[in-house]
Amino acid sequence: MATVTESVDVHVPLHTAYNQWTQFEEFPRFMEGVEEVHQMDPTHVHWKTRIGGVEREFDTEIFEQQPDERVAWRSTSGPDQVGVVSFQPITDADTRVTMQMEWTPEGFAEKAGSLMQLDDRRVHGDLERFKEFIEARGTETGAWRGEV
């Protein structure tokens, strides 16, 4: 199983960073390779990705969601993965966003990419683009404050 942990500090309050992260359908705006995301209900999300020329569709289940703290998910179809994104206040106006993921690379290309830490760079890039996205807006596009 491959693992990655990456963090980024964003210049927005904790609730703004968290609220934006709960807007899963906005992920294609800052996640490379994510073409579509559809939230089917509060705990189930359908993904369509194209990474390295490989198209995939899969579902994930949010099994833990604590407002302003963390969102954790696991795959229910497609690639085997589990992850959590956590939010930590640095100041009243700054937040650290940390993503931890584990997955099983499939096929030669994914296994080679994992060995070369390309997945670490992708997650780092996605967090940097999230930072640019939310800092440029200054406010979230929506929010879901429910607990799971």
Side-chain angles (χ1 to χ4, degrees):
M1 196 162 253
T3 62
V4 62
T5 300
E6 292 286 336
S7 295
V8 67
D9 294 346
V10 297
H11 185 61
V12 296
L14 173 70
H15 69 275
T16 302
Y18 173 83
N19 288 348
Q20 184 59 56
W21 198 271
T22 67
Q23 302 306 292
F24 306 115
E25 293 187 359
E26 298 287 336
F27 282 9
R29 296 178 74 178
F30 57 85
M31 287 189 170
E32 183 180 358
V34 176
E35 293 189 340
E36 294 178 32
V37 179
H38 297 288
Q39 186 155 9
M40 299 179 290
D41 62 39
T43 60
H44 295 92
V45 182
H46 182 77
W47 298 74
K48 185 176 182 180
T49 64
R50 178 189 292 270
I51 300 173
V54 177
E55 288 185 22
R56 288 218 169 104
E57 289 194 45
F58 59 94
D59 296 317
T60 57
E61 172 187 39
I62 298 164
F63 64 88
E64 182 182 3
Q65 188 162 346
Q66 299 297 318
D68 295 335
E69 291 181 27
R70 60 192 284 130
V71 178
W73 72 93
R74 65 180 151 241
S75 60
T76 59
S77 69
D80 182 29
Q81 64 170 281
V82 63
V84 62
V85 62
S86 58
F87 304 84
Q88 179 181 23
I90 300 169
T91 68
D92 288 345
D94 296 284
T95 305
R96 178 160 297 134
V97 180
T98 302
M99 182 182 292
Q100 298 171 296
M101 288 180 55
E102 291 185 357
W103 69 96
T104 303
E106 297 177 350
F108 177 77
E110 285 185 14
K111 290 176 183 176
S114 182
L115 286 172
M116 296 186 320
Q117 298 182 323
L118 296 179
D119 31 24
D120 293 56
R121 285 184 245 164
R122 179 175 295 268
V123 171
H124 179 77
D126 289 346
L127 289 176
E128 287 293 329
R129 285 184 294 278
F130 174 74
K131 172 185 174 73
E132 292 169 10
F133 177 78
I134 193 61
E135 287 180 355
R137 287 187 52 81
T139 188
E140 60 270 37
T141 61
W144 191 75
R145 307 287 302 170
E147 288 189 29
V148 175

